[in-house]
Structure formats: C-alpha cells, structure tokens
Amino acid sequence: MTVTIKFWSYFRDHTHCESTEIELPDSATLGEAHLAVLNQFPALAAMKNSTLKAVGVDYQDDDFALSNGDEVSLFPPVQGG
C-alpha cells in the first residue's frame, strides 16, 4: 500500500520536504510507517519518542492499522513559552 507522510513545523526543515509517499505492506501499522520514515530521514530519529502522529485529522497510537491512501501527519512536540 502507499501512504502519504506530511511533515509539519521544523520537521520540514529536517526533511527538506513537505511530504513524501512510502510503500508499506498491506498490514502495516502507524508505528511501522513511522519507523520507515525514520529510516528514510534519520535526522528525525532523535525526536522519535516525542513525535505526534495523526492519520487524517485524528491522532492515533502506533498500533493503528493503516489503509492504502491514508495521509499521515508527523508533528514535533508542542512548544510554548
């Protein structure tokens, strides 16, 4: 299956792109997609445990089952002042 990964905030700076498409097995989870992205963009690895992940408009856990054509958004942790 193919899913679109969208990068937000300074994740765009680290990846040098707004989005990418990745190929995954049909039974892939959000956590597996995140690992595939970290392999492609190792600059994001240091933020692995604090990355917020959404499928469509809803935040999801790593065990969320993905479907072909899903749009995954990766966000850095929220910062405030």
Side-chain angles (χ1 to χ4, degrees):
M1 80 172 119
T2 302
V3 298
T4 300
I5 309 293
K6 295 186 78 170
F7 302 106
W8 297 92
S9 186
Y10 59 83
F11 279 8
R12 289 180 178 178
D13 297 332
H14 289 298
T15 61
H16 305 288
C17 62
E18 292 183 14
S19 66
T20 190
E21 289 188 348
I22 59 172
E23 294 291 325
L24 297 166
D26 287 340
S27 61
T29 64
L30 181 56
E32 292 167 332
H34 189 202
L35 290 176
V37 169
L38 297 180
N39 286 332
Q40 187 175 351
F41 300 99
L44 300 179
M47 296 161 276
K48 176 185 179 219
N49 293 330
S50 59
T51 299
L52 302 173
K53 298 172 280 257
V55 179
V57 296
D58 296 315
Y59 289 107
Q60 300 293 347
D61 293 324
D62 282 342
D63 60 353
F64 182 84
L66 294 172
S67 298
N68 187 50
D70 275 346
E71 183 178 275
V72 173
S73 292
L74 299 180
F75 304 91
V78 177
Q79 298 177 4

